[in-house]
Amino acid sequence: MPLKRPPPNHEHASFIALGVLTIVVLGLVSLMPVSWQEAFAYQRYDFSYWQLLTAGLVHENVSHLMLNLVAVAVITVLINRSAPPTILAVYLLLGTIGATGAEHLLSKPPALDFVVVETRGLSGGLHGLLVGGLLALARRGDQWAVWLVIAVTLKVGSEAALGQPIIASGTVENVAVMAHLGGTLVILLAEGLQRWVDPECGAEGL
């Protein structure tokens, strides 16, 4: 079945305001006392369900934060107007939950050679936002977006299988490869489930 597309001149509202808000929130959280930030981070041995979301708000260090702020800006520009801002926000939230959940379930033997006891950062959620936005662009007829989704999926799958990143940024000691996998897969699964439940759904996604 061909992907449905919006009318030729249809254009969604800009996501830039929400992208800027995300950057501001991350910056403000980085100014919080260290003890508060530690409470936000995912803690394997002191786990609370709200950490599924809050882990994405805190970062290991300034370099880690700056890398994700740049990623937010780049992804926002890349997928802007691909879908309604609320849908893109849902992609980010779901991706963040999926990322932290994957860390909890997979970041330990046998998947890894070590146990991850704490996780911080929005990179997993950003993988979900990127893939969701790209799928929305693909539904609008941008075939390059399909190839980029395939590339991202192969990247996170390979890194999860290897247990380490293909290219390390150097901002953190252990890159959360399972978080990247989880953030990506949760959006792919959500989109696939929606198509299965409602094959006639339009181009909005979710």
Side-chain angles (χ1 to χ4, degrees):
M1 179 179 295
L3 296 174
K4 287 191 174 183
R5 302 177 186 175
N9 296 322
H10 180 75
E11 190 173 65
H12 296 295
S14 176
F15 181 68
I16 289 178
L18 285 178
V20 171
L21 177 61
T22 301
I23 291 174
V24 170
V25 170
L26 294 180
L28 291 176
V29 170
S30 71
L31 300 177
M32 290 169 44
V34 173
S35 60
W36 292 15
Q37 294 187 45
E38 289 177 350
F40 276 27
Y42 160 71
Q43 307 284 348
R44 179 174 296 278
Y45 300 122
D46 189 19
F47 176 68
S48 298
Y49 285 105
W50 43 265
Q51 293 173 358
L52 290 170
L53 273 176
T54 59
L57 299 176
V58 291
H59 293 79
E60 293 287 345
N61 49 55
V62 175
S63 297
H64 188 208
L65 172 64
M66 293 305 296
L67 179 64
N68 276 345
L69 292 183
V70 171
V72 171
V74 171
I75 293 172
T76 296
V77 172
L78 180 64
I79 66 171
N80 189 37
R81 301 187 187 278
S82 61
T86 52
I87 296 298
L88 296 177
V90 169
Y91 288 145
L92 180 59
L93 293 175
L94 285 180
T96 301
I97 293 171
T100 310
E103 283 287 287
H104 184 68
L105 296 174
L106 301 176
S107 289
K108 57 185 179 180
L112 295 180
D113 295 332
F114 56 92
V115 177
V116 173
V117 298
E118 180 179 297
T119 295
R120 305 177 184 217
L122 193 61
S123 56
L126 291 175
H127 275 73
L129 173 62
L130 174 61
V131 168
L134 290 173
L135 289 173
L137 288 172
R139 287 191 293 271
R140 293 166 65 88
D142 294 319
Q143 292 303 310
W144 61 268
V146 176
W147 292 107
L148 195 48
V149 168
I150 293 173
V152 171
T153 305
L154 289 175
K155 168 191 169 292
V156 298
S158 299
E159 291 180 338
L162 293 171
Q164 61 185 14
I166 296 174
I167 300 176
S169 65
T171 59
V172 294
E173 182 177 355
N174 294 310
V175 176
V177 293
M178 296 305 177
H180 298 172
L181 177 69
T184 301
L185 291 186
V186 73
I187 299 302
L188 292 176
L189 290 174
E191 288 283 344
L193 180 62
Q194 183 196 27
R195 298 291 163 183
W196 180 68
V197 172
D198 183 11
E200 298 300 321
C201 61
E204 306 300 332
L206 289 181

